[in-house]
Amino acid sequence: MNDIRLVVFDCDGVMFDSLEANRAYYNHLLAYFRRPPMTEDELAYVHMHQVDDSIRHIFRNYPADLEAADHYRRQLDYTPFLRYMRMEPDLREFLSYLRPRRKTAISTNRTTTMALVLQMFELGHCFDQVVTAKDVANPKPHPEALERIMADLGIGPTQTIYIGDSRVDREHTAAAGIPLIAFKNPALAAEYHVSSFMEIVKLPPFQK
């Protein structure tokens, strides 16, 4: 691999521990329609998938509520759920290490909430490009988002690396032909595994 010029981040489970935010958000939607809270399997699903698929999944047994649930969530202010999100403690330090020598980007299956998250945590200026599920015709695991980021920034797959935490991320990177750093998931098939951001600086691709 050549020297890394572009580092792409997933959001949920990588930049942020957002499991409890997702739990609160989707359980709120279910409670509004007087449905029981998610199972742990449903929580795992919504943590990896974009909101349209997640709504269809958790309301799959309540088809009569589906259209109304989708309408309601589009009017719902996400701000109250941000208090459940926890930013990784060394994320800012790692971004400072990367920039300005390397480009940084985000490829996420979040949609309209990504801009709010970056604004709330004052991270917007830290990324050269952000591509969400609403910005592409085919969300992750399709490679479209990664391909758009690389094309727009003029950097090829041999100089790009992705930090993710899920099977969706593995498929996303494999389809785009770039290596994956598995974040806090030692069981995930990946080229590299880390449990914190600053461990990444010691990986071979960053020692050149």
Side-chain angles (χ1 to χ4, degrees), residues 69-86:
D70 185 62
H71 177 76
Y72 175 66
R73 68 95 176 168
R74 293 178 188 277
Q75 319 305 316
L76 183 63
D77 180 10
Y78 191 78
T79 305
F81 303 98
L82 288 174
R83 64 190 176 96
Y84 296 102
M85 297 185 71
R86 297 291 179 266

Side-chain angles (χ1 to χ4, degrees), residues 90-102:
D90 59 348
L91 174 60
R92 292 188 193 276
E93 181 182 5
F94 182 57
L95 287 167
S96 294
Y97 159 80
L98 292 174
R99 297 171 63 86
R101 179 185 172 193
R102 297 177 174 95

